Amino acid sequence: MRDPTLIALQQKLPFLPGYTFNLDKDIPNERKSHFFDYTNGVPVYKDVNGIGGKFLPTTRTPAPQTSLTLYPQSTSSADGVPAWVAFDRKVLRFYAYFQEAVHERREEQHRVRKVNIYFYLEDDSVHVSEPRVVNSGIPQGTLIRRHRIVNPNADLEGQHYTVKDLNVGREVTFYARTFRIVGCDAFTRDFLTHLSIPVPHNEPFPSDPHTVHRQELASRLKPTRPYIPQTSLKKFLENDRKVLRFYTLWDDTPSHFGDLRHLIIHYYLSDDTVEIREAIPPNSGRDSNTLFLRRQKLPKRRPVWVYGHTQTKEREDGEYFCESDFGMGSILHLLGRPMVVVGCDDFTKKWYWEKYGVEEFDPVRVDEREDYHYQAENPEWINSHDGEGLAQTQLLKKLKEEELQGTATIGQAPPHPSHPNLAGLSLRFSARFHNPSIIDSARRFIITLFLSDESLSIFEPPIRNSGIVGGKFLEKSRVKKPEGGYYGMRDFYIGAVLTVNGFCFVVDGCDEGAKTFMEAHQELFPNLDKNKNLNEKSSETDEKKEVGNITF
């Protein structure tokens, strides 16, 4: 029914777009409804929806349901907590699979792909992930990121999956891909059981045609001839960047100016190579370079020395040091240097415990090892002034014992053909110029005789404010005599005159180690009897006669 007032008003307006209106209205009031109004001057709330009190189509649709209605509710309002707090980090895990069609393949028409479906209880979100399979050739990982997924089979439009929609034996469709749930974990089974939802037993995964085909081919493959497996690549991939660290001690006190050296051995499990670094304390006077041995395979025995030619034959694996040779407290002869393993780091302890079952890693003290330090039988050697005689006697005794047992010390310098048991031994003598000038009268020298090859080295201790730079006077080498031949052990005794590169020296003393050795092995020093005052000369050295900064 049209209002005459509105008809008259319509006739006065121009007939243009925007000036014409529909005058046939079923609802007399088409204003947007509001909730707050006044009744008798009092503000009140009115439950009115839509336009003119008429519900809109969208307001008639009920809200989607969530899993909160299935969860147990608290009877007290004070004890109630939000779902995102109560179910934080609580996830249901289901095992499922889906079939993927494979075209133009004779071996397989479909492929079975296994996935894990994760349902987050706090917000009903779903996350689908496919476990990675080695050498599958398929991009695997996350298939569907975490979010709410709409259930296409729900009666309510826009309804998402809830906890009651997922169970063992059901099929769920995520974005036109159907997944078959065949199992769940123990937590998921217990949670659904507490919600009074029966959970069937887990089902096995169906067989994959391609996997079955590959297993049949692998069972038919047999080696035609035996071969040695090449495991170097596998060993590298499994043990890359895994390094064992051992703390060792090397007693270098028998050598000149030697001391107790602290070394760190790095054993690389990827290729069985060894690297040795030295722990140099501050203000020690040594070079700052800590590399003692570059990374390489370390042989248990040095190459055979034959007239200046080394061994070129390849060694077998058993002839190199491996991880089983390193043990707490063991003595390792690394290139002729006896090193005692006194400790290791935490990773090395864990690795030995997992592979070999070793549980005791007590630190080792070197002074407790009887086989590392040989006790001297003569108490006079123990009370020697500088300990040189004790060290040399201990080393000689060790060499003799190893020679009788057939296990000579590994890696020593090539011995002289005439003296195979004297490798590593040296004697020290003090000397001065023969008929020196006034300037050279105060100069003193230390002559070292290496018994293995009878080579010599001369060192001049520096003297303060003398105007003469001391140091190395002669590099280690064999020295020719003026009359022919080379100087050897038979030429050394107290009072001997030696001519070295035009310089004439007179031997006027020796240390306690040289004296003891010469008296014990007079067959090697036949000219020892020429000096009848040997004991008198030696007694003078006991009075701590200082030569430069070295006391004899």
Side-chain angles (χ1 to χ4, degrees):
M1 180 177 180
R2 296 187 177 184
D3 189 357
T5 305
L6 296 178
I7 296 175
L9 182 61
Q10 178 69 48
Q11 293 177 356
K12 293 180 181 180
L13 296 175
F15 189 70
L16 294 174
Y19 290 91
T20 58
F21 303 95
N22 184 12
L23 302 179
D24 298 332
K25 296 183 178 179
D26 297 335
I27 303 176
N29 183 11
E30 294 187 357
R31 292 178 299 175
K32 183 178 180 181
S33 302
H34 57 277
F35 296 96
F36 301 99
D37 202 352
Y38 286 89
T39 301
N40 298 329
V42 179
V44 296
Y45 173 79
K46 294 183 179 181
D47 190 6
V48 182
N49 296 322
I51 302 297
K54 184 179 180 181
F55 284 94
L56 297 176
T58 56
T59 60
R60 290 181 179 271
T61 305
Q65 298 181 358
T66 62
S67 300
L68 295 177
T69 58
L70 301 176
Y71 300 154
Q73 303 294 329
S74 176
T75 57
S76 176
S77 59
D79 297 337
V81 294
W84 57 272
V85 176
F87 299 103
D88 184 29
R89 298 183 181 181
K90 293 185 179 180
V91 185
L92 305 183
R93 180 172 60 175
F94 298 92
Y95 308 115
Y97 72 92
F98 68 94
Q99 291 185 357
E100 184 181 29
V102 179
H103 305 284
E104 298 180 359
R105 290 274 299 187
R106 184 182 63 180
E107 294 83 4
E108 54 177 344
Q109 285 72 36
H110 66 276
R111 185 179 294 115
V112 177
R113 300 179 62 177
K114 303 176 184 179
V115 297
N116 294 331
I117 300 177
Y118 300 95
F119 183 84
Y120 295 84
L121 298 174
E122 55 181 334
D123 56 355
D124 294 347
S125 58
V126 179
H127 164 61
V128 181
S129 175
E130 182 179 8
R132 300 183 184 274
V133 180
V134 180
N135 298 329
S136 64
I138 303 174
Q140 298 170 328
T142 302
L143 296 183
I144 301 177
R145 294 185 177 180
R146 177 183 173 182
H147 68 285
R148 287 184 175 181
I149 301 178
V150 178
N151 188 356
N153 301 324
D155 298 334
L156 185 62
E157 183 180 358
Q159 176 64 44
H160 58 270
Y161 281 96
T162 59
V163 67
K164 65 179 180 180
D165 298 324
L166 303 177
N167 204 340
V168 178
R170 292 188 181 181
E171 293 184 356
V172 292
T173 303
F174 299 153
Y175 299 106
R177 179 174 288 176
T178 302
F179 298 87
R180 171 76 177 183
I181 301 177
V182 296
C184 62
D185 58 5
F187 172 78
T188 305
R189 185 177 297 275
D190 294 342
F191 185 84
L192 295 179
T193 303
H194 282 76
L195 297 181
S196 300
I197 300 177
V199 182
H201 296 286
N202 293 351
E203 303 174 0
F205 283 98
S207 60
D208 186 13
H210 179 68
T211 304
V212 174
H213 178 68
R214 293 294 302 173
Q215 291 178 354
E216 292 179 357
L217 292 180
S219 62
R220 299 173 187 173
L221 296 178
K222 296 182 180 180
T224 57
R225 61 181 64 88
Y227 66 96
I228 301 176
Q230 300 293 335
T231 59
S232 57
L233 178 59
K234 177 183 177 182
K235 189 174 183 179
F236 172 78
L237 296 177
E238 293 178 353
N239 300 317
D240 186 26
R241 298 185 181 182
K242 294 182 180 180
V243 184
L244 305 181
R245 177 182 294 178
F246 301 93
Y247 304 106
T248 62
L249 293 178
W250 170 37
D251 189 6
D252 192 31
T253 52
S255 62
H256 300 304
F257 313 107
D259 55 359
L260 191 64
R261 311 281 284 274
H262 297 262
L263 303 174
I264 300 176
I265 299 178
H266 292 157
Y267 185 88
Y268 295 84
L269 296 173
S270 58
D271 54 358
D272 297 331
T273 54
V274 176
E275 179 190 53
I276 303 178
R277 290 188 172 273
E278 183 176 4
I280 302 177
N283 301 327
S284 63
R286 296 188 179 275
D287 192 4
S288 59
N289 183 18
T290 61
L291 185 61
F292 192 83
L293 177 69
R294 64 179 179 86
R295 180 178 175 181
Q296 60 180 320
K297 276 197 170 185
L298 191 59
K300 294 183 179 180
R301 297 185 179 273
R302 292 187 62 180
V304 179
W305 184 275
V306 180
Y307 298 106
H309 298 279
T310 58
Q311 181 183 10
T312 58
K313 180 181 177 181
E314 295 185 358
R315 298 175 178 267
E316 300 179 356
D317 294 339
E319 298 184 5
Y320 292 97
F321 280 100
C322 60
E323 72 275 4
S324 59
D325 299 324
F326 293 85
M328 193 66 62
S330 60
I331 299 180
L332 305 176
H333 292 269
L334 306 181
L335 298 179
R337 296 168 176 83
M339 300 183 185
V340 182
V341 180
V342 297
C344 58
D345 59 357
D346 295 337
F347 172 77
T348 306
K349 296 177 182 178
K350 181 180 178 182
W351 191 85
Y352 272 94
W353 178 78
E354 293 177 352
K355 185 171 182 180
Y356 295 102
V358 181
E359 298 180 356
E360 297 182 359
F361 297 93
D362 297 333
V364 179
R365 295 182 57 182
V366 182
D367 52 3
E368 297 178 355
R369 292 302 305 264
E370 297 179 357
D371 53 350
Y372 187 68
H373 291 284
Y374 285 87
Q375 300 296 333
E377 299 178 358
N378 193 344
E380 296 181 358
W381 299 346
I382 300 179
N383 298 325
S384 60
H385 179 68
D386 57 354
E388 186 71 18
L390 173 61
Q392 292 182 354
T393 307
Q394 291 174 354
L395 184 57
L396 180 61
K397 182 177 180 180
K398 182 177 180 180
L399 289 172
K400 289 184 177 180
E401 291 180 357
E402 292 183 350
E403 180 187 6
L404 296 176
Q405 298 175 0
T407 57
T409 304
I410 305 170
Q412 292 287 353
H416 193 272
S418 302
H419 314 289
N421 300 328
L422 302 180
L425 293 179
S426 60
L427 305 180
R428 293 196 305 174
F429 299 87
S430 63
R432 54 183 174 79
F433 281 132
H434 183 59
N435 297 327
S437 60
I438 299 177
I439 299 176
D440 297 334
S441 60
R443 299 177 66 178
R444 295 295 181 268
F445 301 89
I446 305 294
I447 301 179
T448 304
L449 172 63
F450 298 91
L451 303 183
S452 60
D453 54 358
E454 296 185 337
S455 57
L456 305 179
S457 68
I458 302 178
F459 177 82
E460 182 179 5
I463 301 176
R464 182 177 297 180
N465 299 327
S466 65
I468 300 175
V469 179
K472 186 183 296 185
F473 189 86
L474 176 67
E475 184 73 26
K476 177 184 176 182
S477 61
R478 301 201 67 187
V479 180
K480 289 185 177 181
K481 299 179 181 179
E483 62 274 11
Y486 293 89
Y487 283 108
M489 289 183 284
R490 61 179 59 250
D491 300 313
F492 278 82
Y493 54 91
I494 305 301
V497 179
L498 308 177
T499 302
V500 179
N501 296 336
F503 295 92
C504 190
F505 296 92
V506 177
V507 178
D508 58 358
C510 63
D511 60 359
E512 284 294 328
K515 172 187 174 182
T516 304
F517 186 87
M518 294 166 64
E519 291 178 350
H521 303 82
Q522 296 187 9
E523 69 277 3
L524 300 178
F525 299 89
N527 296 326
L528 190 63
D529 296 335
K530 289 185 178 181
N531 188 1
K532 298 181 180 180
N533 298 326
L534 174 62
N535 297 329
E536 298 178 1
K537 294 290 185 179
S538 300
S539 61
E540 294 178 1
T541 61
D542 295 338
E543 297 177 358
K544 298 183 179 180
K545 179 180 60 178
E546 295 188 357
V547 180
N549 60 351
I550 298 179
T551 303
F552 278 145

